[in-house]
Amino acid sequence: MAFSHKEEHVDEGMLLLQANIDDMNPEWTSAVMDRLFALGANDVYWVPIVMKKGRPGIMLNVLCADSLAEEAKSLIFRETTTLGLRIIPLSVHRLSRAFLEVETPWGSVPVKIGSHNGQVVQYAPEFDVCDRIAREQKIPLKEVYDAVRYAYKARTQSELSD
């Protein structure tokens, strides 16, 4: 099966910035996340946690390149109520990635493919395209996903047998 792809690789020099927060308006989380992504963070996510004395809280996790750490740290201190951060150095291992277009009753849809050592281990329809189709056609998103996954399987099986 022929498709262009990015090679599997390891990102060295990455950092995970973490902050436990128990006194911030939860409505602010999406704004903080948007600002961190706009800054260039690779990933941002929140995890519900239980803090000392049984208080509910949230843990902010930000994955970014070492070169963005100071800006990300400043943003977190300005935009949240945290008084401190953990900064954890790490490396990130990524699958080889590629996109393959498949035909559906609603047109062409890209499928993201993840490979490890030359073997496809993950594949997923591109969400934004499937969501747009579902809205335009007034059909359930899962119906579009199922059709795209079926089209991907049919195409890859056909190409393997050629």
Side-chain angles (χ1 to χ4, degrees):
M1 172 177 16
F3 46 79
S4 63
H5 65 280
K6 295 181 180 178
E7 293 299 323
E8 194 167 333
H9 68 278
V10 177
D11 290 332
E12 302 289 347
M14 300 294 289
L15 297 175
L16 180 63
L17 285 65
Q18 289 184 328
N20 292 353
I21 303 170
D22 66 354
D23 59 350
M24 185 177 91
N25 183 336
E27 292 177 321
W28 301 351
T29 58
S30 62
V32 171
M33 180 180 277
D34 291 346
R35 287 174 175 92
L36 286 162
F37 277 129
L39 183 67
N42 294 67
D43 199 6
V44 180
Y45 58 97
W46 298 90
V47 178
I49 57 175
V50 177
M51 298 179 60
K52 67 182 174 185
K53 300 181 184 176
R55 288 193 304 258
I58 49 177
M59 180 193 303
L60 170 62
N61 292 271
V62 180
L63 178 66
C64 68
D66 184 39
S67 60
L68 286 179
E70 284 304 313
E71 285 180 89
K73 185 169 62 170
S74 293
L75 190 151
I76 293 166
F77 284 138
R78 281 192 322 271
E79 298 285 345
T80 74
T81 59
T82 192
L83 296 174
L85 288 173
R86 287 179 295 282
I87 300 176
I88 305 161
L90 51 82
S91 60
V92 177
H93 297 248
R94 299 183 196 278
L95 293 176
S96 172
R97 293 176 308 251
F99 284 90
L100 181 68
E101 295 281 330
V102 299
E103 291 305 317
T104 74
W106 314 286
S108 183
V109 177
V111 176
K112 186 185 290 186
I113 301 161
S115 300
H116 179 65
N117 293 330
Q119 294 287 103
V120 173
V121 294
Q122 305 287 338
Y123 68 95
E126 193 62 17
F127 172 79
D128 291 340
V129 176
C130 292
D131 188 45
R132 178 182 47 77
I133 290 169
R135 290 173 189 271
E136 288 172 358
Q137 300 296 318
K138 296 179 177 33
I139 58 177
L141 180 59
K142 66 182 179 180
E143 185 176 323
V144 178
Y145 257 66
D146 288 347
V148 174
R149 290 180 62 83
Y150 178 82
Y152 170 81
K153 283 294 220 183
R155 178 170 174 182
T156 57
Q157 292 300 320
S158 170
E159 289 178 4
L160 289 175
S161 63
D162 289 342

